[in-house]
């Protein structure tokens, strides 16, 4: 297993806009068992190449020497990788390791994931209606019931707080927010609702389903007992009758980008400075550990807030 022999520096990674990088968002595969109508694929190419456990471990060990202390695993669908638990076990001690999943394959792995070092999990589920679920996820490879079982198993395994990711879609779920709030309430404070603005990756889907996000934000604000602001992206959290609802509103949001502390890693081993930019990636797939330091700094130097 990889370990960085000279991890004794005090250096941190700060880009030219004063944004310190403290977190990596790592796609471990581009494969997915669903085909959601809106998917942005983390802004990645469709490359079939996947980093090995050692490749991922090497990147995280190097970044951790520069004060990166949070890792988010994503995909495609991270749970289609059978070696996800091995990936988790290969990491150095960190403040937080989390993952985002569609939840279909979660039920039977939640406890193993926790034991392997995963701290918490985000589960994407846009509807509580089985037919609507099939429509959004574009097929027959997963069911609503599997995802709900996955949420229960995650709470049971202590992968908490579980975040329930809901992409707001006009005419599909924009009038069902209260239903979702009631659903998370049934988990006694272990589940947070995360309402997400649809980003415009799929042009037609975006134009058909985008919601008036300002109206939703106004409604949350008027009903909130308390509003908290996260340092990451300056995201707002609304507390409504003890339920926690976080709003992810990236489009045209200069505060969101000004407080972006994540560097992305693509499934085929490239450092990606921004979700929305494709022409400035830094390939670390063949890098030695010495070269990795240099390439990490190069990727950080290429970071520019997308909305500014
Ligand atoms: N524009 C933009 N969107 C992001 C970024 N990071 C996450 N998102 C979006 O935020 C939504 C939620 O992402 P998750 O993978 O659940 O993770 P997260 O909420 O960002 O992270 P945690 O709150 O720490 O769990 C998704 O729609 C992501 O596409 C980012 O850096 N830029
Ligand atoms: C690309 S998915 C990868 C992880 C996993 N397959 C899942 O769906 O949770 C990561 C997150 O991005 C969100 N997402 C995908 N396409 C999006 C879009 N066009 N706008 C906003 N969020 C999107 C998903 O809902 C999910 O919460
Ligand atoms: S499950 Fe995730 S990666 Fe797969 S299509 Fe849906 S949003 Fe995209
Ligand atoms: S700069 Fe903005 S759009 Fe780009 S990754 Fe950061 S928050 Fe997302």
């Amino acid at each position: 297993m990889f370990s960085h022999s000279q991890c004794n520096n005090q250096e941190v990674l700060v880009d030219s806009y004063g944004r310190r990088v403290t977190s990596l968002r790592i796609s471990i595969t581009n494969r997915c068992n669903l085909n959601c109508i809106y998917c942005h694929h983390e802004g990645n190419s469709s490359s079939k190449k996947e980093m090995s456990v050692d490749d991922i471990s090497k990147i995280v060990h190097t970044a951790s020497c520069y004060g990166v202390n949070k890792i988010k695993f994503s995909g495609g669908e991270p749970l289609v990788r059978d070696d996800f638990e091995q990936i988790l076990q290969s990491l150095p001690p960190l403040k937080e390791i989390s993952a985002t999943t569609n939840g279909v394959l979660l039920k039977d792995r939640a406890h193993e994931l926790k034991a392997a070092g995963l701290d918490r999990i985000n589960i994407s589920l846009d509807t509580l209606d089985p037919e609507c679920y099939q429509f959004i996820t574009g097929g027959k490879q997963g069911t609503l019931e599997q995802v709900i079982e996955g949420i229960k198993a995650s709470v049971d395994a202590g992968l908490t707080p579980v975040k329930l990711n809901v992409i707001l879609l006009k005419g599909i779920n924009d009038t069902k927010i209260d239903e979702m709030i009631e659903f998370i309430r049934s988990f006694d404070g272990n589940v947070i609702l995360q309402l997400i603005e649809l980003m415009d990756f799929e042009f037609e889907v975006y134009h058909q389903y985008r919601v008036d996000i300002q109206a939703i934000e106004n409604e949350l604000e008027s009903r909130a007992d308390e509003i908290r602001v996260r340092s990451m992206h300056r995201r707002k959290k609304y507390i409504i009758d003890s339920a926690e609802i976080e709003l992810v509103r990236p489009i045209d949001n200069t505060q969101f980008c000004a407080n972006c502390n994540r560097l992305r890693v693509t499934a085929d081993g490239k450092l990606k400075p921004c979700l929305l930019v494709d022409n400035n990636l830094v390939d670390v797939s063949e890098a030695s550990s010495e070269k990795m330091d240099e390439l990490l700094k190069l990727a950080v130097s290429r970071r520019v807030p997308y909305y500014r």
Side-chain angles (χ1 to χ4, degrees):
M1 200 177 291
F2 183 83
S3 95
H4 200 288
S5 53
Q6 292 165 324
C7 187
N8 52 10
N9 71 51
Q10 301 290 313
E11 223 181 312
V12 292
L13 301 166
V14 183
D15 68 24
S16 14
Y17 296 82
R19 301 177 303 171
R20 182 170 163 198
V21 174
T22 54
S23 158
L24 291 185
R25 186 178 178 97
I26 306 178
S27 285
I28 57 173
T29 181
N30 287 329
R31 290 177 287 140
C32 188
N33 47 353
L34 300 182
N35 187 19
C36 303
I37 53 171
Y38 49 66
C39 185
H40 62 30
H41 305 284
E42 300 287 347
N44 292 341
S45 71
S46 55
S47 167
K48 288 193 167 51
K49 202 175 140 200
E50 290 179 0
M51 290 182 286
S52 67
V53 173
D54 273 357
D55 293 336
I56 296 167
S57 175
K58 188 161 75 174
I59 295 171
V60 178
H61 273 85
T62 306
S64 73
C65 290
Y66 290 91
V68 167
N69 55 20
K70 287 189 180 182
I71 304 294
K72 166 78 76 192
F73 288 105
S74 181
E77 171 48 42
L79 295 190
V80 300
R81 274 192 73 155
D82 293 335
D83 59 358
F84 189 28
E85 287 80 359
Q86 281 167 258
I87 294 172
L88 294 167
Q89 282 158 351
S90 77
L91 305 181
L94 293 157
K95 192 168 163 191
E96 184 182 270
I97 305 172
S98 65
T100 303
T101 171
N102 60 37
V104 170
L105 301 172
L106 196 50
K107 178 176 170 246
D108 296 331
R109 280 171 81 180
H111 284 83
E112 283 171 48
L113 292 168
K114 181 73 185 182
L118 192 69
D119 294 307
R120 64 177 181 89
I121 202 151
N122 295 6
I123 303 172
S124 305
L125 179 63
D126 303 316
T127 176
L128 296 172
D129 177 284
E131 270 180 38
C132 195
Y133 177 81
Q134 294 303 329
F135 169 72
I136 295 170
T137 58
K140 302 176 181 62
Q141 292 202 59
T143 64
L144 174 63
E145 203 184 328
Q146 285 171 310
V147 185
I148 292 177
E149 289 301 317
I151 297 169
K152 289 180 184 162
S154 300
V155 170
D156 191 51
L159 290 169
T160 48
V162 171
K163 279 185 156 188
L164 192 70
N165 280 2
V166 176
I167 309 286
L168 293 165
L169 302 165
K170 189 175 173 185
I172 295 188
N173 62 13
D174 58 335
T175 56
K176 309 274 186 194
I177 295 174
D178 280 323
E179 209 176 282
M180 283 292 185
I181 294 178
E182 283 318 305
F183 179 68
I184 64 152
R185 266 191 221 291
S186 66
F187 293 96
D188 299 328
N190 287 305
V191 181
I192 295 172
L193 182 61
Q194 180 153 260
L195 300 176
I196 301 172
E197 180 178 28
L198 177 66
M199 297 195 75
D200 53 346
F201 283 82
E202 296 289 336
F203 185 81
E204 280 175 25
V205 170
Y206 177 71
H207 284 277
Q208 186 168 353
Y209 295 114
R210 71 177 157 171
V211 300
D212 179 351
I213 194 83
Q214 186 60 54
I216 288 177
E217 179 153 16
N218 292 346
E219 163 95 11
L220 292 171
E221 214 165 295
S222 71
R223 289 171 58 186
D225 305 313
E226 186 190 339
I227 301 173
R228 299 181 195 145
V229 182
R230 270 184 88 179
S231 59
M232 183 174 81
H233 299 148
R234 291 283 184 271
R235 295 186 193 179
K236 288 195 183 139
K237 285 180 168 212
Y238 300 89
I239 315 300
I240 300 178
D241 282 342
S242 79
E244 194 171 320
I245 300 141
E246 182 166 335
L247 187 67
V248 181
R249 189 181 173 181
I251 298 179
D252 288 330
N253 187 342
T254 54
Q255 279 301 303
F256 197 93
C257 294
N259 294 281
C260 169
N261 54 22
R262 288 174 161 169
L263 187 64
R264 290 166 173 266
V265 185
T266 66
D268 56 355
K270 294 179 177 132
L271 303 177
K272 190 173 195 292
C274 173
L275 168 69
L276 301 175
V277 179
D278 287 328
N279 62 3
N280 61 357
L281 278 63
V282 176
D283 193 345
V284 293
S285 58
E286 307 288 331
S288 64
S289 45
E290 290 73 28
K291 188 80 179 156
M292 186 76 77
D293 289 66
E294 194 185 304
L295 294 176
L296 194 58
K297 289 177 195 169
L298 176 65
V300 171
S301 76
R302 291 184 180 176
R303 275 168 45 92
V304 175
Y306 188 80
Y307 297 110
R308 63 196 159 106

